Amino acid sequence: MRSYVPAYELQEPRNLADALERMAREPSEWKPFAGGTDLMVLLEAGKLPHRKFLSIWKLPELHGIVVTPAHVTLNALTTYSEIRRHELLAREFPLLCRAAAETGSIATQNRGTLGGNIANASPAADSPPALLVYDAELELVSANGSRWVAYHGFWSGYKKIAMREDELIRGIRLPRNNGFSKEFYRKVGTRRAQAISKVCFAGTARMNAGRIVDVRISLGSVAPTVLRATETEKMLLGEKPVPATLQVAQRTLAREIAPIDDIRSTARYRLRVAQNLLAEFCESLAG
Ligand SMILES: Cc1cc2nc3c(=O)[nH]c(=O)nc-3n(C[C@H](O)[C@H](O)[C@H](O)COP(=O)(O)OP(=O)(O)OC[C@H]3O[C@@H](n4cnc5c(N)ncnc54)[C@H](O)[C@@H]3O)c2cc1C
């Protein structure tokens, strides 16, 4: 059901400092508005209490991808299309490019931003699993300065993140030279495109003499937040990806996740798919 779009105020700050000052003065009043692909849906559905928005879309400080020898930093307004076109990201962070390619339609990819995806904090979002396995860090800025936080641990519950109302995400930093030789990403939805995830799985690993010497696993849509399956990771470390190991890993994963029944799927289906994707990932390690 479409409702009417309520009256709202959208202002364009002159620069980042101006945006942060306004947010510091009235922290719960101003809602940052980036690409608007999440916000417009909520606004139109009458589900957004805010009526005052700060358009950050044109702030140059929040655009661009910066590469240094140790890191790649994607500023918050980096769109999915920009991620998909970036050659170094395709080479070094293929799971992020894959997530970008699987997000919505081309129109959504042209407008939706990585910062917006993180701040919206949906447990069904597609880029967080990739960001988690790459050990992303976030730069949060406010009128009082800037702080870096690990993305792992940024979530405290359903749609709850460790960001204050006077803060903006400025950038997302990914450490380079991670040495992963195995990378796996699968989004399972109702259809191949334009679907919200029923389960999303990202995995990376390093192998030595057939054994797993480093492994990271992250899943979306199977808990109140996107999560790192740290117990499953620990269990797999040092093991060979053989069927007996996989069975233990699947049982460990079942204890770590908390899928629910909702309009998109059932808890039972999500658990089965999560375990099947773990099996696909482990088989890819053996190959
Ligand atoms: C048709 C359609 C299909 C979609 N498909 C997918 C999909 O397949 N997978 C998926 O993950 N998502 C999907 N989305 C959701 C959406 O496109 C993404 O979450 C997108 O990344 C949001 O970015 P945005 O810039 O549009 O955010 P906005 O709508 O502008 O903002 C979203 C939230 O983030 C806050 N915010 C934005 N930028 C910042 C910042 N820099 N600092 C602090 N807070 C900020 C806003 O205040 C708001 O609360 C879809 C949306 C639509 C409409």
Side-chain angles (χ1 to χ4, degrees):
M1 272 286 284
R2 279 174 183 262
S3 65
Y4 70 105
V5 176
Y8 65 91
E9 188 183 342
L10 180 73
Q11 288 197 8
E12 275 190 2
R14 288 188 310 278
N15 50 39
L16 180 60
D18 182 19
L20 296 176
E21 267 165 41
R22 291 187 206 210
M23 290 172 71
R25 273 200 306 270
E26 298 175 288
S28 51
E29 287 288 307
W30 291 103
K31 184 95 177 136
F33 192 106
T37 59
D38 277 315
L39 282 177
M40 286 312 291
V41 175
L42 294 173
L43 192 68
E44 194 192 26
K47 290 184 180 164
L48 208 56
H50 299 83
R51 293 289 174 268
K52 288 167 91 171
F53 298 96
L54 269 188
S55 174
I56 57 173
W57 183 251
K58 291 186 186 161
L59 296 180
E61 298 95 328
L62 301 183
H63 281 279
I65 299 176
V66 181
V67 179
T68 63
H71 295 99
V72 175
T73 303
L74 301 102
N75 286 330
L77 293 174
T78 302
T79 63
Y80 298 107
S81 300
E82 287 167 335
I83 292 171
R84 289 188 69 178
R85 282 197 296 264
H86 202 274
E87 281 178 24
L88 184 134
L89 289 177
R91 250 192 342 268
E92 298 189 14
F93 302 97
L95 305 188
L96 184 60
C97 297
R98 193 61 201 282
E102 301 235 6
T103 296
S105 61
I106 299 295
T108 307
Q109 290 171 16
N110 283 341
R111 188 78 193 179
T113 65
L114 195 57
N117 201 228
I118 293 169
N120 191 52
S122 163
D126 293 317
S127 58
L131 295 174
L132 279 174
V133 294
Y134 288 136
D135 272 348
E137 295 168 300
L138 310 179
E139 186 184 13
L140 305 178
V141 283
S142 71
N144 292 325
S146 141
R147 63 187 177 118
W148 283 94
V149 295
Y151 190 38
H152 186 203
F154 188 56
W155 253 297
S156 57
Y158 177 70
K159 289 232 164 196
K160 288 201 186 115
I161 49 175
M163 184 171 68
R164 299 193 312 263
E165 281 184 323
D166 66 336
E167 285 181 314
L168 279 175
I169 299 171
R170 185 194 166 118
I172 300 103
R173 184 164 76 181
L174 304 175
R176 296 178 67 190
N177 312 312
N178 53 42
F180 296 128
S181 52
K182 304 284 184 179
E183 310 212 25
F184 177 91
Y185 182 93
R186 262 299 286 284
K187 166 178 174 172
V188 174
T190 307
R191 346 173 250 279
R192 289 295 306 278
Q194 282 275 43
I196 298 178
S197 289
K198 293 178 184 209
V199 180
C200 182
F201 186 108
T204 52
R206 274 190 303 123
M207 305 294 291
N208 191 1
R211 291 191 185 273
I212 302 165
V213 291
D214 190 5
V215 60
R216 298 186 199 157
I217 295 169
S218 175
L219 292 101
S221 291
V222 293
T225 70
V226 175
L227 53 81
R228 268 282 287 274
T230 47
E231 291 304 315
T232 310
E233 292 174 2
K234 269 188 226 152
M235 185 260 129
L236 284 169
L237 218 53
E239 301 291 335
K240 290 188 173 173
V242 294
T245 307
L246 173 62
Q247 281 170 16
V248 183
Q250 285 178 317
R251 287 201 292 275
T252 311
L253 184 68
R255 287 195 295 275
E256 276 198 278
I257 62 178
I260 55 164
D261 294 336
D262 65 12
I263 48 163
R264 283 194 288 280
S265 191
T266 63
R268 195 158 158 253
Y269 178 82
R270 286 182 160 122
L271 170 62
R272 173 65 68 88
V273 171
Q275 289 178 317
N276 288 350
L277 295 179
L278 180 62
E280 270 188 50
F281 173 53
C282 284
E283 279 155 21
S284 77
L285 302 184

